[in-house]
Each structure stands twice: as structure tokens, then as C-alpha cells.
Amino acid sequence: MKKIIVIAIAALTLAACSEKKPMFTVKGSVEGAQDSTLCLYNNTLGGAVLLDSVKLGKDGTFCFEAEAPQAPDLYCLNIANQIIYFGIDSTETITINAHYPNMAQRYEVEGSENCQKIRELALKQQQLQQQATALERNLDLSRQQIADSIDRLVYAYKQEVVLNYIYENPGSIYAYFALFQTLGQWNIFDRQVPEDVPVFAAVATSWDTFYPESERAKHLHNTALKGMNDNRRAIAREMSAAEAAEKVVSSGVLELELPDATGRIRTLTELSGKVVLLDFHLFGMKESAARILSLRDLYNKYHNQGFEIYQVSLDENEHFWKQQTDALPWISVYDPSGQAARRYNVQSLPEYFLIDRSNTLYKRSSQMDDAEAEIKMLLANPTASAK
């Protein structure tokens, strides 16, 4: 009987061992973080999922084990929002040695090329963020100069990352990590930007090939498809805009169809019979308050005579735009994509145009020495037209 029991226990033990799931290990130390809680998270598509945590001792050492993923996945170590990202392919063991409180910048990783590459990308992104923040705080630059400078920084960053990381190994977890990096609240790579669509497609194709059943592969596939469809629609819109530009002489004005703060679509052609100031504006620029005051003065003087303002905001933050326009009496619409500005070849802000009562484009700002005098003339002479 004892032998039977021993054999049964051994059989159960063997069965338990055979059912044990494959694990990965992340170990190391965080210097200067005694008594802090170090957390291990899985960065899933649905958000960060806590896998384990430990209170660090004087030497700061730690060792986590967690179930290995079926396909490459993203993880992170976190102490009070100081985050170290890393990728896991299967059952590897990686070592991370960091220094607190700036462990997101001061750490080394061993045991995985993927993790080395993710570290490089994370540090590059942090440097990009610092450069962008410095530009935004530079009071000697206009909003347009700041935006242009940040655009150049992001463009250079994307060129380097695409060449040296993403296209180098599009099926890697570090290529995936690079593709979804952010600058502030904005994605560095955007599926709606035409030149970024092939980058999404390259990574999606590789993941479809090697990890077709993984959630990240499916997410990439859908993202790339949406990007291609958005790009096709954008090309169609551009073609329509070009056709409209060719017809401007006969049709009078390039139509705009944009939403106001209530979501109602407002058009330029609905204002036929009025003299319209078409104004392109950025409420985030430092000259905004003074310009709004001058527009209020014009509106109060001439609105009852048939004058209207159709103001297109190009601000990125919709909530901010709604706050700024809440008390404005004229038509204020929102165009964060900048498509309307491109249609009217707006090169700098603020920019404005006058449209006469027949709904025909009259003049742009550079053609007017005195906008108020031009408005008065158009209001007094309904048959006036552009020379």
C-alpha cells in the first residue's frame, strides 16, 4: 500500500511538472530605491496589467518570474511613474540594473537584443521630448516657428528610427515599440500621415507572417488597413480640392464644410448675400487675444449691415478651442487637420480673405492695405468684385 501511495504521489508530481507553464525571468537591482515598491506590468493593448510587485531592500535587488508570452510582448518595471520598458519573446532571462530616482534614464539591460533596442529607443524619445519642451518654452519664438521647429525634429527622428530600427527588423517587438511611441499626447507615427502608412504596413506584414494569431498582429493589421483607406480618401479629397481650385473663377469660392462647437456643419455658401471675412486663426498663439479684440470691433460695427465672420481654428486641442470660442458672436469652426488652410494656400497665421455678397472670393490679406475700408466698400456696393 505504501508503495502504491508513493507511486501515486510521484505520478501526480510528474503530471504537475509537465503542466507547468513556461516562464521568463527579469532580475537585477535598483540602486537608491530602498523601501520603494517595484512593480512588474504587462503592457497589453487594453492597458497595463500588474503581474507582480516587491518592496525593495537596502541592496535594491529583485527577481520576477512570469508566464512567457505566446508572441513577443511588452512589459515594464515601474516605481512611482519612473518606467523602464522591455520586450519578451519567450522564456529568456534578462537583467536590468538601474539607479533611482531617474531610473527611466539611468539603467542598463543585458540578456536580450530586443531590450537593448527598446532602451535605445526610449532614451531617444526622452531626448526628443526634452528638445520639444525647450522649444515650447522659448518666448523668443512665435507659435508658428515653434511648430515648424518641432515638425523638423520629429521628421528627423522618424527618418532615423525607420531606417535603423523599424525596417531593420519589422517583425521585432522593438519595431512595434518604436511604431507606437508618443511625443506628449500625440503619436510620433500616425497612420493618417501618407508617408507613415508604408511603415505601419511593413510591421503589420511581418507580424502577420510570424505571429498571425497574436492580438498585436491583429491590431497592427487593422491599423495598417485603416491607414491605407484613410490615405486613399485623403488623395481623393486632394483631387477634389484641385478640381475645385480650377473652378474657382466660375464657382466663386472654395467651399468649406466644417463643424462648429455644437457639431453643426457650417459652410461658406450658406453665407451668400453677406460680406464675409474668412479668417484662419490659432487661439494658442500669443497674438490671439489682440486679434480677437480687433475682429470684435469690426463685427460690432458692421454685422447689422450684412457683415459676417467665418473663423477657422487650427488649434490641436478641441476642448481649448471650444473654451476660447464659447462667447464669440460669429461663426467659429474647427479644422485640426489643416485641410481648409491648405485649400486656401495659407502659409502663415493669422491669415484672412474677403468674400463678397455674391459668394465670390474677393481678396486675401496681402492684397489689402485697409481691410475695414474694403469691407465698407463691399457692404455699400453689392456689385463690387475682385479686380
Side-chain angles (χ1 to χ4, degrees), residues 350-366:
E351 176 63 288
Y352 61 91
F353 301 77
L354 278 179
I355 299 169
D356 66 22
R357 290 184 187 271
S358 68
N359 218 216
T360 298
L361 192 63
Y362 176 67
K363 289 181 181 179
R364 71 185 301 149
S365 63
S366 59

Side-chain angles (χ1 to χ4, degrees), residues 16-87:
C17 290
S18 66
E19 292 175 3
K20 185 177 180 181
K21 294 181 179 179
M23 309 291 282
F24 72 87
T25 302
V26 54
K27 62 180 182 176
S29 65
V30 183
E31 184 181 316
Q34 182 179 358
D35 296 328
S36 297
T37 299
L38 177 68
C39 297
L40 170 66
Y41 288 94
N42 179 197
N43 294 86
T44 71
L45 291 174
V49 175
L50 179 65
L51 300 181
D52 204 350
S53 64
V54 63
K55 188 173 184 179
L56 297 175
K58 187 175 181 179
D59 62 1
T61 60
F62 65 90
C63 182
F64 292 121
E65 278 194 332
E67 183 181 342
Q70 297 295 312
D73 213 347
L74 289 171
Y75 299 83
C76 71
L77 297 175
N78 187 332
I79 300 179
N81 290 325
Q82 280 289 306
I83 301 173
I84 295 173
Y85 293 100
F86 61 94

Side-chain angles (χ1 to χ4, degrees), residues 86-125:
F86 61 94
I88 294 294
D89 276 350
S90 57
T91 58
E92 66 257 52
T93 296
I94 65 168
T95 302
I96 296 175
N97 293 310
H99 301 268
Y100 194 75
N102 298 317
M103 73 176 199
Q105 294 83 33
R106 301 177 61 201
Y107 73 95
E108 300 295 333
V109 59
E110 298 176 356
S112 167
E113 181 185 6
N114 274 318
C115 295
Q116 289 279 9
K117 296 284 190 179
I118 288 175
R119 175 183 178 274
E120 293 170 14
L121 286 162
L123 294 179
K124 288 178 182 295
Q125 186 273 337

